[in-house]
Structure formats: C-alpha cells, structure tokens
Amino acid sequence: MYSREKHKKSVIRMDPDCAICHAPAMHACDCEAKGLEAAVQQAETRMMQSVYDQIRSWVRAHAQDYILEYFRLLTDRRKAAHQEQVERITAHAYHYYRAPPHPSELQAAQAALKRGIDEDWQSSVQRYPEVLEYFFSLVEMQLPQEDDPTVKDPPLSALHGSRKPHRRSSVIAPESAHERRRRTPPPPAIERRTPGPHLIANPMAPTRSARRGPMRPPTAPPQSYNY
C-alpha cells in the first residue's frame, strides 16, 4: 500500500516579480511599497487638497471672529473702567480744588488705558491655538460604509471602463455675505494663474533602469495563412 503523502498534489508557488524593477520575489524589494505610498500621496493631493483648503478657510474665519469678539468684550470693560476712573478724578478735583483735574492725571489715566488695551489684545491673540483646535474639532468627515455599493463594486473594472470617481461634497456650508465681512482682513492672497496641463509620473511604473535591462520578447504576431 502507498502512503497518502505520495498521492498529495504538489503546490507550485509562482510569486510574480516586482512590477517596478522586475526583481524576483525572493529579493523582497520595497519598490512597490514606496510606489504605493507615492501614489496615495498624489491621489490625496488631487482629490482632498480643495477640501483641506475649504476647511482651513472656514476654521480661520470663525476663529478670527471669535478672537475679535473676545477682544471687543475685554476692551469694552476696560473703557468702562477708564471712564469711571476719569469721573472719579474729575469729581475729586472739583470737590477739593474747585477746578478741573490736572492734565498729568488725565494723561496717566489715558496711558493706563492704552497699556490695558495692549494687554487685552495680547491675551486675545494668544488664545488662537486653542480656538483653532476647537473649530477644527467641529469638522466632520465621514467614510462610506463597507457595504456601500460604491465600495463593494466600484466602477473601475474592465467591464465598465475607467470612470472618474465622484467627489463627495464638503460638510461645510458656504459663508454668507455677512460672514465674509471681517474687521481684520485676511492676508492678501497670492495671485494664481491656472497652470498648464502637466503629466504626473506614475509611481507604480517600472523604473528607467529596469527598462534598460533585458527586454522581454514581444508577443509574436499571428501567422498568416494562404488560402
């Protein structure tokens, strides 16, 4: 009798060569991993850069509004306290000297108000990091479900042909005209011109050094038959 091991089918492993440098699989090169990382970065830039710019603009505008409103509240309190101090100085001068207060006293009070406003503005601006983080935390970006038809059966197969992927709309609502009117204008935008079309190198394509290597024999053309 023969043992069962002799009747087992031998499994032949034929791992493909590297798609970029054509090195055998046993070399375990990292060309494909690096090419995939570069391809992910290129796709992210093309598809997500406009979303990132919109989110950044929205967060910046709302953070600036908050800081300006916070500074306004501080200065209103500061000015109210200054007005009360001026009234006390004036009342004291008329009560004891029957004359208006000395100009040096008013100048000292005015200088104290200026120093206080500078401190209020400094403390307001220093709050930008926490305010920016707060508004960034309000942004929601939702991934599709795994059973979504666009995920399970993307229209990228050879049967359907390559289609341009649908870009999801941003979750940020457009700003109103009132929101665009800021007390402190944003930094001047750099004038951009629409760049001409340019080709982006495919990071998953074979390298030039690999192309200069031994060429694979092309597929022979079909033989012609004489009838």
Side-chain angles (χ1 to χ4, degrees):
M1 294 182 63
Y2 295 96
S3 61
R4 293 185 178 181
E5 295 181 357
K6 294 183 179 180
H7 296 281
K8 287 184 178 180
K9 295 182 179 180
S10 60
V11 178
I12 301 176
R13 295 188 58 182
M14 298 186 66
D15 294 333
D17 296 343
C18 176
I20 298 178
C21 70
H22 302 308
M26 65 180 66
H27 290 181
C29 65
D30 59 351
C31 300
E32 294 177 358
K34 291 180 178 179
L36 177 58
E37 183 64 24
V40 169
Q41 293 179 357
Q42 290 179 4
E44 180 183 6
T45 300
R46 288 194 300 268
M47 301 304 298
M48 300 300 295
Q49 190 59 49
S50 61
V51 179
Y52 295 157
D53 293 341
Q54 188 177 6
I55 292 175
R56 187 182 299 107
S57 177
W58 182 85
V59 169
R60 182 187 185 280
H62 284 272
Q64 187 180 39
D65 284 348
Y66 177 87
I67 293 299
L68 293 177
E69 181 64 18
Y70 180 76
F71 173 67
R72 186 189 65 81
L73 293 176
L74 295 181
T75 54
D76 287 347
R77 297 174 185 174
R78 184 81 62 177
K79 291 177 181 178
H82 169 74
Q83 185 62 30
E84 293 177 358
Q85 182 181 6
V86 171
E87 292 177 356
R88 287 195 300 268
I89 294 175
T90 303
H92 181 271
Y94 276 102
H95 178 74
Y96 287 98
Y97 305 106
R98 304 297 180 180
H102 195 274
S104 61
E105 292 183 306
L106 298 178
Q107 291 177 0
Q110 193 72 17
L113 174 63
K114 180 60 171 61
R115 289 192 300 271
I117 290 178
D118 291 341
E119 294 174 359
D120 293 341
W121 178 243
Q122 182 179 4
S123 62
S124 299
V125 171
Q126 289 176 352
R127 294 198 62 191
Y128 261 121
E130 60 173 319
V131 175
L132 289 169
E133 290 180 3
Y134 169 77
F135 282 107
F136 268 118
S137 68
L138 299 181
V139 179
E140 297 180 358
M141 299 187 70
Q142 184 177 1
L143 296 176
Q145 299 294 332
E146 292 297 329
D147 56 353
D148 193 306
T150 58
V151 177
K152 296 181 64 177
D153 187 20
L156 301 173
S157 64
L159 297 178
H160 298 88
S162 179
R163 301 179 185 175
K164 186 176 181 180
H166 174 70
R167 179 173 295 183
R168 296 178 177 268
S169 59
S170 176
V171 296
I172 302 175
E175 297 181 354
S176 63
H178 175 71
E179 291 179 339
R180 288 194 297 267
R181 290 195 290 266
R182 311 288 174 199
R183 288 175 57 187
T184 303
I190 301 176
E191 180 182 359
R192 292 198 224 167
R193 296 186 179 180
T194 304
H198 60 281
L199 298 178
I200 300 177
N202 186 355
M204 304 303 292
T207 58
R208 292 186 177 182
S209 58
R211 293 175 186 171
R212 296 195 188 99
M215 299 295 294
R216 297 183 179 180
T219 305
Q223 297 179 358
S224 60
Y225 298 91
N226 298 324
Y227 295 94

